[in-house]
Amino acid sequence: GESVGLHLPTLSVQEGDNSIINCAYSNSASDYFIWYKQESGKGPQFIIDIRSNMDKRQGQRVTVLLNKTVKHLSLQIAATQPGDSAVYFCAENSNYQLIWGAGTKLIIKP
Amino acid sequence: DAGVIQSPRHEVTEMGQEVTLRCKPISGHNSLFWYRQTMMRGLELLIYFNNNVPIDDSGMPEDRFSAKMPNASFSTLKIQPSEPRDSAVYFCASSFTGSLNYEQYFGPGTRLTVT
């Protein structure tokens, strides 16, 4: 029979709008979280990270929000551009390893 | 800095053949990770080395897979014999675990096709 691939959540955003990508993590003891961007044909690339003693951290056009109460992480991208098209992964640390989420595919509509 | 280097970038082989993937981590990094990425299962950690010692190989699928890190600047992932279901993109990543963050730096990957 035909094999079924991993179904990635997809977010479609108009160019110029803000994007919000959400992630739920599993371990309430995790003290470090990280977002990666993976463009087609490339390896994942670091975007931004945050430690558990913070609830917000800003980078260039990106902001990560951490809500430890509900174990939720979000990545906000301001003024989304065509180059932002990619799969975005969140990850949490566990004994020097990263536990990865399934990823969210971001599509930019012209 | 050249970043993490992987070779080959693409490998096509026939079922039953031995495949060796190579990785050169970033100089100064003391941890190295091998991942496999497929549409079916996403990004999976295969094995993790710290200071050249395998720490966690619970992700290695079966005995056909083996990984070595003979020194701090080189690692191999070997599949023998290869099977069509091993077709995937294999990533190597490195990090420095003495820092307060856990950022991993990924190589460009090796796309393996087993026919």
Side-chain angles (χ1 to χ4, degrees):
Chain A
E2 195 175 57
S3 59
V4 178
L6 193 66
H7 178 67
L8 281 180
T10 300
L11 176 66
S12 292
V13 176
Q14 202 74 37
E15 183 179 347
D17 287 353
N18 296 335
S19 301
I20 299 176
I21 301 170
N22 296 304
C23 179
Y25 63 92
S26 56
N27 185 358
S28 56
S30 292
D31 61 357
Y32 177 86
F33 305 88
I34 192 166
W35 281 98
Y36 278 81
K37 171 186 180 183
Q38 186 177 22
E39 296 176 271
S40 180
K42 297 183 179 179
Q45 289 182 296
F46 169 84
I47 303 173
I48 192 168
D49 58 3
I50 188 168
R51 302 201 71 85
S52 59
N53 60 354
M54 304 171 69
D55 52 21
K56 180 179 180 179
R57 191 167 186 219
Q58 286 185 292
Q60 187 176 17
R61 276 201 313 119
V62 294
T63 301
V64 56
L65 299 178
L66 175 62
N67 184 331
K68 294 181 287 293
T69 303
V70 294
K71 292 189 286 186
H72 182 267
L73 198 63
S74 69
L75 177 71
Q76 300 179 3
I77 305 173
T80 310
Q81 303 170 358
D84 295 328
S85 292
V87 176
Y88 290 81
F89 293 95
C90 67
E92 59 183 303
N93 82 297
S94 175
N95 297 323
Y96 296 106
Q97 300 178 38
L98 293 176
I99 308 300
W100 296 80
T104 297
K105 186 172 184 178
L106 179 63
I107 296 172
I108 312 304
K109 297 182 287 187
Chain B
D1 194 332
V4 175
I5 299 172
Q6 290 187 248
S7 65
R9 292 294 310 276
H10 301 273
E11 176 80 35
V12 180
T13 192
E14 291 183 346
M15 184 174 70
Q17 296 299 306
E18 177 181 294
V19 174
T20 299
L21 310 182
R22 296 172 175 80
C23 176
K24 177 178 168 53
I26 291 173
S27 177
H29 282 187
N30 58 0
S31 290
L32 184 140
F33 306 81
W34 281 102
Y35 290 91
R36 177 172 68 178
Q37 189 174 42
T38 61
M39 288 295 293
M40 289 288 290
R41 292 183 295 273
L43 192 64
E44 302 172 278
L45 177 66
L46 300 177
I47 188 169
Y48 152 51
F49 291 87
N50 184 251
N51 293 323
N52 313 337
V53 176
I55 302 300
D56 182 357
D57 65 354
S58 59
M60 294 287 264
E62 49 199 270
D63 292 345
R64 297 185 299 106
F65 285 67
S66 63
K68 293 182 180 179
M69 192 164 186
N71 57 63
S73 59
F74 184 65
S75 177
T76 58
L77 178 67
K78 186 175 293 187
I79 308 172
Q80 166 64 18
S82 58
E83 296 182 4
R85 61 192 168 121
D86 302 330
S87 297
V89 180
Y90 290 81
F91 289 104
C92 176
S94 70
S95 70
F96 179 64
T97 53
S99 63
L100 293 179
N101 65 51
Y102 305 93
E103 181 183 350
Q104 295 177 16
Y105 295 77
F106 281 76
T110 295
R111 181 173 292 277
L112 174 64
T113 303
V114 184
T115 60

